[in-house]
Amino acid sequence: MLLAVICAIILAAGLGYMEISVSDIFRVVWAKISGNMNSLTDIDPAVPFVLLDVRLPRILTAALVGGGLALSGVVYQGILLNPLADPYTLGISSGAAFGASLALLANISLVGCFSVPFAAFAGAVATLFVVLRLSSFNGRMSANTLILSGVIVGAILSAGISFMKYLADEQVAVIIFWLMGSFASRSWSDVLLVSLALVPGLFMTFFYAGDLNILSLGGRSAESLGVETGRVRLILLLTASLVTAVCVAVSGIIGFIGLVVPHLMRFLVGPDNRRLLAVSVPAGACLLLLTDTITRAVLPVEIPIGVLTALIGGPFFCLIFRRRQQGVQYD
Amino acid sequence: MTDGYRLQNVSYAYEEQSPVLRDLNLVIQPGEFYGIVGPNGCGKTTFLDLLVGGREPDRGEIYLDDRLLNSYPRRELARRVALVPQDFAIGFAFPVAEVVLMGRHPYINRFGLPAAHDRELARQAMEFIGISDFAGRKVNELSGGEKQRVVVARALAQDTRILLFDEATSNLDVRFTLQIFNLARQLVREKGRTVIAVIHNLNLAAAYCRELIFMKQGKIVCNGPIDQVLKSEIIEDVFGVEANIAIDPFSRTRQVSYRYWSD
């Protein structure tokens, strides 16, 4: 799977307005790593610039965000015991978007270029806590009330975002375009930001993946099997929300990756979360990178990637959903 | 080795509500078959939750092997007490064999794989319950009764001295009900395990349990050996129905018969 990601990255790096051959990609990257840029005299001087400062940051961000969304999807689905769950069901994406919109609208620049991600993260975590508070009784959470609370809070936040769009006047285009999701003009700082969230997130989820399996038996059974249900759920939800928030902050709302990828991978490798994580994260990276490459290099006009994933993923998902329901009926 | 419970003045209440369990005092001896009976909503399931450590009492203490129950780490407790819950929905399409193997979770290291010993115990549990035939099937494709037997097998694979059943046979037909109860009886008699079962059917309780605990509105009304506590006046007090208790000549056990109506 990792190999597939690397291949996809190389493939995507070559495509675009300026075609770059695979050998040139390797030479430029190697020259950069070895610090010996003078060896590239026979290559068009624009190539290293396009590759290193424009394409690679964008490609890596897309891959990392894809992996991050898939990771969040696995975690949310595992905890909510619902194969149709994703960051939206919990209202986390809306919370992050709300925070980021607020920052964009108010033009807050407290922490420099990190202010939008920071606001998104604050929004996501605040939403998470409101949702958790709404859905826990007697110190316990139930998966059903968690989804309901998420939907309620998400609806309120969406209304809030609409209100901000209404208020935004001339700035509305910025918010709308960002909300639809885009990887255009991503920089190395975005790559760094997403990696900072994704790498610890991966460690955390792998650490608790075995417990997540047991959690699919239900909270009570999991507890009687020695899993600290409340703590594992909280840590995993926090981890996934952080990853989601950073993804939303960097690229806007990109739907269906977190939903479709874990779902499809479950068909392939079964429900064991350890295996599921190991394949879903690279698969999410490949899928989003591929989609982004299509919007960037194949389509004549660049359309927002969030729109594209929804347009491709939505019907595809309906199909799977129908087939599943039919299977259940004929049992 | 003693695996007994001791409860002292245990009370439990859900958030800002009147207590569900009030002032429970009880000693549960190891190696016996206990039945908990009482009307719906009298706190039986909450009581089992306290015993398995899923909830902590608001007041009072629960001791297991003379040690405070909430001083056990979760995993260690899971090696002593197993629960067969009432609801057994399983979220994802795990194969039956994997679900049973999950019973070994408290023994397996976080990053370790199940040892041959773990696999063997899971295999034995499946054979014991008679579900080896569908070990490879997906658990969400099974019928309610089949699922329930998978859950019982998982609890057996957990290999604990104490087994808690929360109406574990409510979804099973009479044949599988008797199978599960006979198995529990066998574990008590041959291996000295302790079984504590919430049972709705008084006749099942009468046939299998050595000790009965009658509960009503969060309190223990009375408890003791079956021949001392299974009486028509107690049943009338707890359930509000008229009943007669007699030795049934066919099964040679105490059986309860009810006055269904009075014309």
mmCIF file of all heavy atoms in Angstrom, chain A residues 77 138 140 206-208 211 213-214 216-217 220-221 223-228 266 271-272, chain B residues 14-15 45 49 54 74-75 78 85 89-94 102 105-106 110-111 154 158 166:
data_model
loop_
_atom_site.group_PDB
_atom_site.id
_atom_site.type_symbol
_atom_site.label_atom_id
_atom_site.label_comp_id
_atom_site.label_asym_id
_atom_site.label_seq_id
_atom_site.Cartn_x
_atom_site.Cartn_y
_atom_site.Cartn_z
ATOM 1 N N GLN A 77 -16.105 5.494 12.857
ATOM 2 C CA GLN A 77 -16.952 4.344 12.569
ATOM 3 C C GLN A 77 -16.808 3.275 13.632
ATOM 4 O O GLN A 77 -17.775 2.642 14.038
ATOM 5 C CB GLN A 77 -16.620 3.774 11.185
ATOM 6 C CG GLN A 77 -17.064 4.701 10.078
ATOM 7 C CD GLN A 77 -16.702 4.189 8.697
ATOM 8 O OE1 GLN A 77 -16.266 3.056 8.537
ATOM 9 N NE2 GLN A 77 -16.869 5.034 7.703
ATOM 10 N N ASN A 138 -24.626 9.883 33.252
ATOM 11 C CA ASN A 138 -24.022 9.043 34.272
ATOM 12 C C ASN A 138 -22.593 8.662 33.916
ATOM 13 O O ASN A 138 -22.144 7.547 34.140
ATOM 14 C CB ASN A 138 -24.822 7.761 34.491
ATOM 15 C CG ASN A 138 -26.268 8.065 34.809
ATOM 16 O OD1 ASN A 138 -26.543 8.749 35.782
ATOM 17 N ND2 ASN A 138 -27.170 7.609 33.964
ATOM 18 N N ARG A 140 -21.367 8.001 31.139
ATOM 19 C CA ARG A 140 -21.224 7.058 30.045
ATOM 20 C C ARG A 140 -21.752 7.666 28.758
ATOM 21 O O ARG A 140 -22.672 8.470 28.785
ATOM 22 C CB ARG A 140 -22.026 5.784 30.318
ATOM 23 C CG ARG A 140 -21.468 5.000 31.435
ATOM 24 C CD ARG A 140 -22.356 3.826 31.681
ATOM 25 N NE ARG A 140 -21.554 2.791 32.304
ATOM 26 C CZ ARG A 140 -21.667 1.522 32.036
ATOM 27 N NH1 ARG A 140 -22.530 1.107 31.159
ATOM 28 N NH2 ARG A 140 -20.906 0.650 32.643
ATOM 29 N N PHE A 206 -3.115 3.383 16.344
ATOM 30 C CA PHE A 206 -2.592 2.019 16.295
ATOM 31 C C PHE A 206 -2.469 1.435 17.694
ATOM 32 O O PHE A 206 -2.722 0.259 17.922
ATOM 33 C CB PHE A 206 -1.235 1.961 15.587
ATOM 34 C CG PHE A 206 -1.370 1.612 14.140
ATOM 35 C CD1 PHE A 206 -1.086 2.535 13.148
ATOM 36 C CD2 PHE A 206 -1.814 0.350 13.769
ATOM 37 C CE1 PHE A 206 -1.234 2.220 11.815
ATOM 38 C CE2 PHE A 206 -1.965 0.023 12.449
ATOM 39 C CZ PHE A 206 -1.673 0.964 11.463
ATOM 40 N N PHE A 207 -2.103 2.310 18.646
ATOM 41 C CA PHE A 207 -1.952 1.868 20.027
ATOM 42 C C PHE A 207 -3.271 1.323 20.563
ATOM 43 O O PHE A 207 -3.302 0.331 21.285
ATOM 44 C CB PHE A 207 -1.478 3.052 20.870
ATOM 45 C CG PHE A 207 -1.057 2.677 22.254
ATOM 46 C CD1 PHE A 207 0.147 2.018 22.461
ATOM 47 C CD2 PHE A 207 -1.847 2.980 23.336
ATOM 48 C CE1 PHE A 207 0.546 1.674 23.736
ATOM 49 C CE2 PHE A 207 -1.453 2.628 24.616
ATOM 50 C CZ PHE A 207 -0.253 1.980 24.814
ATOM 51 N N TYR A 208 -4.388 1.973 20.203
ATOM 52 C CA TYR A 208 -5.679 1.571 20.749
ATOM 53 C C TYR A 208 -6.533 0.767 19.762
ATOM 54 O O TYR A 208 -7.700 0.515 20.034
ATOM 55 C CB TYR A 208 -6.461 2.804 21.213
ATOM 56 C CG TYR A 208 -5.946 3.381 22.499
ATOM 57 C CD1 TYR A 208 -5.306 4.610 22.532
ATOM 58 C CD2 TYR A 208 -6.084 2.681 23.691
ATOM 59 C CE1 TYR A 208 -4.822 5.137 23.723
ATOM 60 C CE2 TYR A 208 -5.597 3.189 24.877
ATOM 61 C CZ TYR A 208 -4.976 4.414 24.884
ATOM 62 O OH TYR A 208 -4.501 4.915 26.059
ATOM 63 N N ASP A 211 -8.167 -2.340 21.189
ATOM 64 C CA ASP A 211 -9.283 -2.007 22.081
ATOM 65 C C ASP A 211 -10.504 -1.583 21.272
ATOM 66 O O ASP A 211 -11.636 -1.866 21.653
ATOM 67 C CB ASP A 211 -8.888 -0.872 23.035
ATOM 68 C CG ASP A 211 -7.860 -1.331 24.050
ATOM 69 O OD1 ASP A 211 -7.839 -2.536 24.344
ATOM 70 O OD2 ASP A 211 -7.080 -0.498 24.535
ATOM 71 N N ASN A 213 -11.384 -2.759 18.456
ATOM 72 C CA ASN A 213 -12.048 -3.998 18.038
ATOM 73 C C ASN A 213 -13.008 -4.472 19.114
ATOM 74 O O ASN A 213 -14.150 -4.827 18.840
ATOM 75 C CB ASN A 213 -11.027 -5.108 17.809
ATOM 76 C CG ASN A 213 -10.293 -4.942 16.507
ATOM 77 O OD1 ASN A 213 -10.699 -4.154 15.665
ATOM 78 N ND2 ASN A 213 -9.221 -5.683 16.344
ATOM 79 N N ILE A 214 -12.523 -4.500 20.352
ATOM 80 C CA ILE A 214 -13.348 -5.003 21.450
ATOM 81 C C ILE A 214 -14.546 -4.084 21.657
ATOM 82 O O ILE A 214 -15.642 -4.541 21.989
ATOM 83 C CB ILE A 214 -12.524 -5.090 22.754
ATOM 84 C CG1 ILE A 214 -11.237 -5.872 22.524
ATOM 85 C CG2 ILE A 214 -13.335 -5.725 23.868
ATOM 86 C CD1 ILE A 214 -11.409 -7.331 22.280
ATOM 87 N N SER A 216 -16.354 -2.808 19.565
ATOM 88 C CA SER A 216 -17.458 -3.091 18.653
ATOM 89 C C SER A 216 -18.419 -4.114 19.249
ATOM 90 O O SER A 216 -19.477 -4.361 18.687
ATOM 91 C CB SER A 216 -16.935 -3.564 17.295
ATOM 92 O OG SER A 216 -16.223 -4.754 17.446
ATOM 93 N N LEU A 217 -18.070 -4.703 20.374
ATOM 94 C CA LEU A 217 -19.006 -5.600 21.062
ATOM 95 C C LEU A 217 -19.992 -4.807 21.915
ATOM 96 O O LEU A 217 -20.877 -5.374 22.528
ATOM 97 C CB LEU A 217 -18.251 -6.567 21.974
ATOM 98 C CG LEU A 217 -17.183 -7.432 21.334
ATOM 99 C CD1 LEU A 217 -16.429 -8.196 22.394
ATOM 100 C CD2 LEU A 217 -17.825 -8.394 20.358
ATOM 101 N N ARG A 220 -20.601 -2.193 27.344
ATOM 102 C CA ARG A 220 -20.680 -3.032 28.530
ATOM 103 C C ARG A 220 -19.799 -4.265 28.392
ATOM 104 O O ARG A 220 -19.068 -4.626 29.307
ATOM 105 C CB ARG A 220 -22.128 -3.476 28.716
ATOM 106 C CG ARG A 220 -22.759 -2.916 29.957
ATOM 107 C CD ARG A 220 -24.164 -3.419 30.077
ATOM 108 N NE ARG A 220 -24.313 -4.151 31.316
ATOM 109 C CZ ARG A 220 -25.113 -5.196 31.465
ATOM 110 N NH1 ARG A 220 -25.778 -5.654 30.445
ATOM 111 N NH2 ARG A 220 -25.208 -5.794 32.625
ATOM 112 N N SER A 221 -19.883 -4.903 27.242
ATOM 113 C CA SER A 221 -19.066 -6.097 27.027
ATOM 114 C C SER A 221 -17.598 -5.738 27.009
ATOM 115 O O SER A 221 -16.763 -6.451 27.573
ATOM 116 C CB SER A 221 -19.440 -6.766 25.701
ATOM 117 O OG SER A 221 -20.784 -7.122 25.709
ATOM 118 N N GLU A 223 -16.115 -3.366 28.526
ATOM 119 C CA GLU A 223 -15.673 -3.121 29.888
ATOM 120 C C GLU A 223 -15.410 -4.437 30.610
ATOM 121 O O GLU A 223 -14.413 -4.591 31.315
ATOM 122 C CB GLU A 223 -16.750 -2.337 30.629
ATOM 123 C CG GLU A 223 -16.217 -1.140 31.359
ATOM 124 C CD GLU A 223 -17.258 -0.065 31.499
ATOM 125 O OE1 GLU A 223 -18.379 -0.392 31.936
ATOM 126 O OE2 GLU A 223 -16.953 1.090 31.154
ATOM 127 N N SER A 224 -16.302 -5.399 30.420
ATOM 128 C CA SER A 224 -16.130 -6.674 31.114
ATOM 129 C C SER A 224 -14.966 -7.464 30.532
ATOM 130 O O SER A 224 -14.553 -8.460 31.093
ATOM 131 C CB SER A 224 -17.418 -7.493 31.061
ATOM 132 O OG SER A 224 -17.582 -8.056 29.781
ATOM 133 N N LEU A 225 -14.450 -7.026 29.393
ATOM 134 C CA LEU A 225 -13.267 -7.678 28.820
ATOM 135 C C LEU A 225 -12.000 -6.888 29.126
ATOM 136 O O LEU A 225 -10.959 -7.104 28.509
ATOM 137 C CB LEU A 225 -13.424 -7.841 27.306
ATOM 138 C CG LEU A 225 -14.358 -8.976 26.892
ATOM 139 C CD1 LEU A 225 -14.705 -8.878 25.419
ATOM 140 C CD2 LEU A 225 -13.724 -10.319 27.182
ATOM 141 N N GLY A 226 -12.097 -5.956 30.043
ATOM 142 C CA GLY A 226 -10.891 -5.275 30.523
ATOM 143 C C GLY A 226 -10.503 -4.037 29.740
ATOM 144 O O GLY A 226 -9.394 -3.557 29.863
ATOM 145 N N VAL A 227 -11.418 -3.497 28.921
ATOM 146 C CA VAL A 227 -11.106 -2.264 28.199
ATOM 147 C C VAL A 227 -11.654 -1.078 28.996
ATOM 148 O O VAL A 227 -12.791 -1.111 29.444
ATOM 149 C CB VAL A 227 -11.753 -2.270 26.797
ATOM 150 C CG1 VAL A 227 -11.531 -0.950 26.093
ATOM 151 C CG2 VAL A 227 -11.184 -3.410 25.980
ATOM 152 N N GLU A 228 -10.832 -0.062 29.189
ATOM 153 C CA GLU A 228 -11.313 1.141 29.875
ATOM 154 C C GLU A 228 -12.113 1.961 28.884
ATOM 155 O O GLU A 228 -11.625 2.932 28.304
ATOM 156 C CB GLU A 228 -10.130 1.951 30.416
ATOM 157 C CG GLU A 228 -9.202 1.097 31.245
ATOM 158 C CD GLU A 228 -8.928 1.694 32.597
ATOM 159 O OE1 GLU A 228 -9.716 2.554 33.036
ATOM 160 O OE2 GLU A 228 -7.943 1.288 33.215
ATOM 161 N N ARG A 266 -13.061 -2.214 4.401
ATOM 162 C CA ARG A 266 -13.646 -3.258 5.243
ATOM 163 C C ARG A 266 -14.093 -4.444 4.392
ATOM 164 O O ARG A 266 -14.017 -5.586 4.834
ATOM 165 C CB ARG A 266 -14.812 -2.682 6.037
ATOM 166 C CG ARG A 266 -15.015 -3.367 7.373
ATOM 167 C CD ARG A 266 -16.013 -2.642 8.242
ATOM 168 N NE ARG A 266 -15.404 -1.576 9.014
ATOM 169 C CZ ARG A 266 -15.779 -0.313 8.952
ATOM 170 N NH1 ARG A 266 -16.741 0.050 8.159
ATOM 171 N NH2 ARG A 266 -15.171 0.585 9.687
ATOM 172 N N PRO A 271 -13.217 -6.504 9.279
ATOM 173 C CA PRO A 271 -13.452 -5.419 10.228
ATOM 174 C C PRO A 271 -12.343 -5.189 11.261
ATOM 175 O O PRO A 271 -12.451 -4.258 12.038
ATOM 176 C CB PRO A 271 -14.742 -5.865 10.930
ATOM 177 C CG PRO A 271 -14.718 -7.345 10.850
ATOM 178 C CD PRO A 271 -13.945 -7.718 9.628
ATOM 179 N N ASP A 272 -11.303 -6.023 11.270
ATOM 180 C CA ASP A 272 -10.255 -5.855 12.285
ATOM 181 C C ASP A 272 -9.573 -4.497 12.117
ATOM 182 O O ASP A 272 -8.958 -4.214 11.086
ATOM 183 C CB ASP A 272 -9.221 -6.982 12.156
ATOM 184 C CG ASP A 272 -8.207 -6.942 13.290
ATOM 185 O OD1 ASP A 272 -7.848 -5.838 13.734
ATOM 186 O OD2 ASP A 272 -7.785 -8.018 13.723
ATOM 187 N N TYR B 14 -28.468 6.680 39.575
ATOM 188 C CA TYR B 14 -28.128 7.395 38.353
ATOM 189 C C TYR B 14 -28.247 8.880 38.638
ATOM 190 O O TYR B 14 -28.930 9.281 39.572
ATOM 191 C CB TYR B 14 -29.074 6.992 37.213
ATOM 192 C CG TYR B 14 -28.875 5.575 36.781
ATOM 193 C CD1 TYR B 14 -29.729 4.565 37.203
ATOM 194 C CD2 TYR B 14 -27.798 5.229 35.967
ATOM 195 C CE1 TYR B 14 -29.540 3.253 36.815
ATOM 196 C CE2 TYR B 14 -27.602 3.920 35.580
ATOM 197 C CZ TYR B 14 -28.474 2.937 36.006
ATOM 198 O OH TYR B 14 -28.263 1.644 35.623
ATOM 199 N N GLU B 15 -27.594 9.682 37.827
ATOM 200 C CA GLU B 15 -27.540 11.128 38.012
ATOM 201 C C GLU B 15 -28.846 11.727 38.514
ATOM 202 O O GLU B 15 -29.883 11.620 37.867
ATOM 203 C CB GLU B 15 -27.205 11.800 36.670
ATOM 204 C CG GLU B 15 -25.823 12.423 36.653
ATOM 205 C CD GLU B 15 -25.434 12.791 35.231
ATOM 206 O OE1 GLU B 15 -26.249 13.450 34.565
ATOM 207 O OE2 GLU B 15 -24.326 12.410 34.812
ATOM 208 N N THR B 45 -29.937 -5.597 36.574
ATOM 209 C CA THR B 45 -28.840 -5.378 35.618
ATOM 210 C C THR B 45 -27.801 -4.417 36.187
ATOM 211 O O THR B 45 -26.597 -4.631 36.050
ATOM 212 C CB THR B 45 -29.415 -4.844 34.289
ATOM 213 O OG1 THR B 45 -30.222 -5.867 33.724
ATOM 214 C CG2 THR B 45 -28.314 -4.496 33.321
ATOM 215 N N ASP B 49 -23.837 -4.893 36.854
ATOM 216 C CA ASP B 49 -22.836 -3.905 36.424
ATOM 217 C C ASP B 49 -21.884 -3.570 37.562
ATOM 218 O O ASP B 49 -20.684 -3.378 37.354
ATOM 219 C CB ASP B 49 -23.520 -2.624 35.933
ATOM 220 C CG ASP B 49 -23.964 -2.731 34.492
ATOM 221 O OD1 ASP B 49 -23.550 -3.705 33.834
ATOM 222 O OD2 ASP B 49 -24.701 -1.854 34.033
ATOM 223 N N GLY B 54 -18.325 -2.362 36.090
ATOM 224 C CA GLY B 54 -18.688 -1.376 35.075
ATOM 225 C C GLY B 54 -19.199 -0.080 35.692
ATOM 226 O O GLY B 54 -19.116 0.974 35.081
ATOM 227 N N ARG B 74 -8.599 -2.883 35.448
ATOM 228 C CA ARG B 74 -9.659 -3.470 34.630
ATOM 229 C C ARG B 74 -9.299 -4.833 34.050
ATOM 230 O O ARG B 74 -10.083 -5.764 34.063
ATOM 231 C CB ARG B 74 -10.005 -2.539 33.466
ATOM 232 C CG ARG B 74 -10.974 -1.462 33.785
ATOM 233 C CD ARG B 74 -12.140 -1.495 32.806
ATOM 234 N NE ARG B 74 -12.960 -2.669 33.055
ATOM 235 C CZ ARG B 74 -14.005 -2.664 33.874
ATOM 236 N NH1 ARG B 74 -14.363 -1.587 34.494
ATOM 237 N NH2 ARG B 74 -14.717 -3.763 34.064
ATOM 238 N N ARG B 75 -8.093 -4.924 33.525
ATOM 239 C CA ARG B 75 -7.702 -6.181 32.872
ATOM 240 C C ARG B 75 -7.652 -7.326 33.867
ATOM 241 O O ARG B 75 -8.029 -8.454 33.556
ATOM 242 C CB ARG B 75 -6.339 -6.025 32.197
ATOM 243 C CG ARG B 75 -6.421 -5.376 30.826
ATOM 244 C CD ARG B 75 -5.046 -4.979 30.355
ATOM 245 N NE ARG B 75 -4.176 -6.109 30.082
ATOM 246 C CZ ARG B 75 -4.121 -6.706 28.906
ATOM 247 N NH1 ARG B 75 -4.861 -6.305 27.922
ATOM 248 N NH2 ARG B 75 -3.314 -7.727 28.723
ATOM 249 N N ALA B 78 -11.020 -8.466 34.608
ATOM 250 C CA ALA B 78 -11.576 -9.209 33.478
ATOM 251 C C ALA B 78 -11.040 -10.641 33.433
ATOM 252 O O ALA B 78 -11.584 -11.476 32.723
ATOM 253 C CB ALA B 78 -11.268 -8.499 32.168
ATOM 254 N N PRO B 85 -23.845 -10.432 28.562
ATOM 255 C CA PRO B 85 -24.838 -9.366 28.681
ATOM 256 C C PRO B 85 -26.148 -9.714 28.001
ATOM 257 O O PRO B 85 -26.261 -10.701 27.276
ATOM 258 C CB PRO B 85 -24.158 -8.190 27.987
ATOM 259 C CG PRO B 85 -23.260 -8.820 26.995
ATOM 260 C CD PRO B 85 -22.844 -10.144 27.541
ATOM 261 N N ALA B 89 -25.577 -6.975 20.472
ATOM 262 C CA ALA B 89 -25.358 -6.455 19.132
ATOM 263 C C ALA B 89 -23.856 -6.339 18.899
ATOM 264 O O ALA B 89 -23.124 -5.898 19.780
ATOM 265 C CB ALA B 89 -26.001 -5.082 18.997
ATOM 266 N N ILE B 90 -23.398 -6.777 17.764
ATOM 267 C CA ILE B 90 -21.988 -6.648 17.438
ATOM 268 C C ILE B 90 -21.889 -5.797 16.184
ATOM 269 O O ILE B 90 -22.480 -6.113 15.160
ATOM 270 C CB ILE B 90 -21.331 -8.032 17.262
ATOM 271 C CG1 ILE B 90 -21.299 -8.726 18.628
ATOM 272 C CG2 ILE B 90 -19.922 -7.893 16.712
ATOM 273 C CD1 ILE B 90 -20.924 -10.166 18.576
ATOM 274 N N GLY B 91 -21.183 -4.683 16.312
ATOM 275 C CA GLY B 91 -21.224 -3.645 15.303
ATOM 276 C C GLY B 91 -20.748 -4.048 13.921
ATOM 277 O O GLY B 91 -21.308 -3.625 12.922
ATOM 278 N N PHE B 92 -19.708 -4.843 13.848
ATOM 279 C CA PHE B 92 -19.126 -5.120 12.544
ATOM 280 C C PHE B 92 -19.092 -6.616 12.255
ATOM 281 O O PHE B 92 -19.246 -7.436 13.151
ATOM 282 C CB PHE B 92 -17.721 -4.536 12.470
ATOM 283 C CG PHE B 92 -17.721 -3.045 12.536
ATOM 284 C CD1 PHE B 92 -17.395 -2.393 13.706
ATOM 285 C CD2 PHE B 92 -18.113 -2.292 11.446
ATOM 286 C CE1 PHE B 92 -17.426 -1.018 13.778
ATOM 287 C CE2 PHE B 92 -18.151 -0.911 11.514
ATOM 288 C CZ PHE B 92 -17.809 -0.275 12.680
ATOM 289 N N ALA B 93 -18.844 -6.938 11.002
ATOM 290 C CA ALA B 93 -18.974 -8.313 10.536
ATOM 291 C C ALA B 93 -17.748 -9.152 10.885
ATOM 292 O O ALA B 93 -17.065 -9.671 10.024
ATOM 293 C CB ALA B 93 -19.217 -8.322 9.028
ATOM 294 N N PHE B 94 -17.465 -9.287 12.164
ATOM 295 C CA PHE B 94 -16.361 -10.160 12.577
ATOM 296 C C PHE B 94 -16.771 -11.623 12.406
ATOM 297 O O PHE B 94 -17.919 -11.977 12.645
ATOM 298 C CB PHE B 94 -16.026 -9.930 14.046
ATOM 299 C CG PHE B 94 -15.246 -8.674 14.304
ATOM 300 C CD1 PHE B 94 -15.871 -7.536 14.769
ATOM 301 C CD2 PHE B 94 -13.871 -8.650 14.094
ATOM 302 C CE1 PHE B 94 -15.145 -6.378 15.009
ATOM 303 C CE2 PHE B 94 -13.155 -7.499 14.337
ATOM 304 C CZ PHE B 94 -13.787 -6.368 14.798
ATOM 305 N N MET B 102 -11.943 -12.886 21.153
ATOM 306 C CA MET B 102 -11.913 -11.622 21.895
ATOM 307 C C MET B 102 -12.064 -11.859 23.392
ATOM 308 O O MET B 102 -11.683 -11.014 24.198
ATOM 309 C CB MET B 102 -13.024 -10.685 21.412
ATOM 310 C CG MET B 102 -12.721 -10.014 20.100
ATOM 311 S SD MET B 102 -14.095 -8.946 19.650
ATOM 312 C CE MET B 102 -13.638 -8.516 17.986
ATOM 313 N N HIS B 105 -8.978 -11.351 25.266
ATOM 314 C CA HIS B 105 -8.379 -10.011 25.256
ATOM 315 C C HIS B 105 -7.652 -9.645 26.555
ATOM 316 O O HIS B 105 -6.560 -9.088 26.504
ATOM 317 C CB HIS B 105 -9.457 -8.963 24.944
ATOM 318 C CG HIS B 105 -8.945 -7.561 24.844
ATOM 319 N ND1 HIS B 105 -8.229 -7.110 23.765
ATOM 320 C CD2 HIS B 105 -9.024 -6.517 25.698
ATOM 321 C CE1 HIS B 105 -7.896 -5.850 23.961
ATOM 322 N NE2 HIS B 105 -8.363 -5.460 25.130
ATOM 323 N N PRO B 106 -8.224 -9.952 27.724
ATOM 324 C CA PRO B 106 -7.517 -9.556 28.960
ATOM 325 C C PRO B 106 -6.185 -10.270 29.161
ATOM 326 O O PRO B 106 -5.426 -9.891 30.048
ATOM 327 C CB PRO B 106 -8.504 -9.933 30.072
ATOM 328 C CG PRO B 106 -9.749 -10.361 29.430
ATOM 329 C CD PRO B 106 -9.528 -10.545 27.983
ATOM 330 N N ARG B 110 -0.907 -5.813 24.348
ATOM 331 C CA ARG B 110 -1.436 -4.832 23.418
ATOM 332 C C ARG B 110 -0.982 -5.068 21.975
ATOM 333 O O ARG B 110 -1.771 -5.012 21.048
ATOM 334 C CB ARG B 110 -1.013 -3.430 23.855
ATOM 335 C CG ARG B 110 -1.662 -2.331 23.082
ATOM 336 C CD ARG B 110 -1.409 -1.000 23.707
ATOM 337 N NE ARG B 110 -2.155 -0.811 24.930
ATOM 338 C CZ ARG B 110 -3.459 -0.514 24.954
ATOM 339 N NH1 ARG B 110 -4.113 -0.384 23.831
ATOM 340 N NH2 ARG B 110 -4.089 -0.351 26.086
ATOM 341 N N PHE B 111 0.290 -5.328 21.804
ATOM 342 C CA PHE B 111 0.775 -5.521 20.434
ATOM 343 C C PHE B 111 1.053 -6.984 20.130
ATOM 344 O O PHE B 111 1.564 -7.322 19.075
ATOM 345 C CB PHE B 111 2.021 -4.669 20.187
ATOM 346 C CG PHE B 111 1.719 -3.202 20.223
ATOM 347 C CD1 PHE B 111 2.153 -2.415 21.279
ATOM 348 C CD2 PHE B 111 0.959 -2.621 19.228
ATOM 349 C CE1 PHE B 111 1.849 -1.069 21.322
ATOM 350 C CE2 PHE B 111 0.645 -1.273 19.265
ATOM 351 C CZ PHE B 111 1.096 -0.490 20.316
ATOM 352 N N ARG B 154 -17.783 -16.724 24.123
ATOM 353 C CA ARG B 154 -16.754 -15.714 24.374
ATOM 354 C C ARG B 154 -16.481 -15.592 25.867
ATOM 355 O O ARG B 154 -15.333 -15.523 26.308
ATOM 356 C CB ARG B 154 -17.220 -14.371 23.819
ATOM 357 C CG ARG B 154 -16.133 -13.323 23.786
ATOM 358 C CD ARG B 154 -16.714 -11.955 23.510
ATOM 359 N NE ARG B 154 -17.426 -11.452 24.656
ATOM 360 C CZ ARG B 154 -18.504 -10.672 24.598
ATOM 361 N NH1 ARG B 154 -18.999 -10.320 23.441
ATOM 362 N NH2 ARG B 154 -19.097 -10.257 25.697
ATOM 363 N N GLN B 158 -13.024 -16.570 28.159
ATOM 364 C CA GLN B 158 -12.396 -15.645 29.103
ATOM 365 C C GLN B 158 -11.838 -16.395 30.314
ATOM 366 O O GLN B 158 -10.985 -15.876 31.029
ATOM 367 C CB GLN B 158 -13.439 -14.600 29.533
ATOM 368 C CG GLN B 158 -12.871 -13.232 29.828
ATOM 369 C CD GLN B 158 -13.979 -12.218 30.066
ATOM 370 O OE1 GLN B 158 -15.064 -12.299 29.477
ATOM 371 N NE2 GLN B 158 -13.734 -11.255 30.929
ATOM 372 N N ASP B 166 -26.634 -12.158 32.403
ATOM 373 C CA ASP B 166 -27.733 -11.207 32.496
ATOM 374 C C ASP B 166 -28.833 -11.642 31.539
ATOM 375 O O ASP B 166 -28.832 -11.278 30.371
ATOM 376 C CB ASP B 166 -27.242 -9.794 32.154
ATOM 377 C CG ASP B 166 -28.276 -8.740 32.479
ATOM 378 O OD1 ASP B 166 -29.361 -9.118 32.948
ATOM 379 O OD2 ASP B 166 -27.994 -7.555 32.272
#
